[in-house]
Amino acid sequence: MSCKPVCKLCDRLVLSQAVVFTGGNLEINLPAGAYNNGEKYCIVVAQAIPETATINAPVYITIGTGTTLYPLTKRSCAQVTACGIRTRTRYSVCVVTTPTGGSFRMLGAPCCSPSNNLSSIDGGTAAAPAT
């Protein structure tokens, strides 16, 4: 009798190796390898978010032992901040490359997070955030 798997995990499921807060950035380290342009990957943040991380810290991806920071962006290309990331959560992303680098763009929305956007700008004193 042969055993057949009941379910199959996605072959592009990637578990983070480390999550660190350094230099004002939240960095999620992925296993070494080539992440292809236009390909979809499901990233799971497997480690705890450091307690020292600030909620407005930009989120970056590093690969293996490399030091290059690849931005994690929303569908709108805006930078994801630490308040939009949760531990043990799967994020579907698409790799987007340029002639000089690349980014990991979320296919869905980040976790609910507060908006500290200004209610308006007028070239002078900034208005208070919208509530």
Side-chain angles (χ1 to χ4, degrees), residues 19-20 24-28 45 49 54-62 69-73 78-85 104 106:
V19 178
V20 298
N25 300 321
L26 183 64
E27 299 177 13
I28 300 170
V45 179
I49 307 294
T54 56
I55 63 171
N56 61 344
V59 179
Y60 290 94
I61 305 290
T62 59
L69 299 177
Y70 300 101
L72 178 63
T73 63
Q79 180 83 41
V80 173
T81 57
C83 62
I85 297 295
F104 288 77
M106 285 187 162

Side-chain angles (χ1 to χ4, degrees), residues 16-95:
S16 64
Q17 300 184 127
V19 178
V20 298
F21 180 63
T22 182
N25 300 321
L26 183 64
E27 299 177 13
I28 300 170
N29 181 258
L30 301 183
Y35 294 85
N36 299 321
N37 183 44
E39 292 291 334
K40 176 185 172 190
Y41 297 91
C42 292
I43 297 173
V44 174
V45 179
Q47 295 76 23
I49 307 294
E51 290 183 17
T52 55
T54 56
I55 63 171
N56 61 344
V59 179
Y60 290 94
I61 305 290
T62 59
I63 300 171
T65 58
T67 58
T68 302
L69 299 177
Y70 300 101
L72 178 63
T73 63
K74 300 176 186 177
R75 289 180 293 187
S76 65
C77 299
Q79 180 83 41
V80 173
T81 57
C83 62
I85 297 295
R86 303 288 183 271
T87 299
R88 294 186 307 263
T89 302
R90 181 182 55 85
Y91 298 97
S92 295
V93 300
C94 183
V95 172

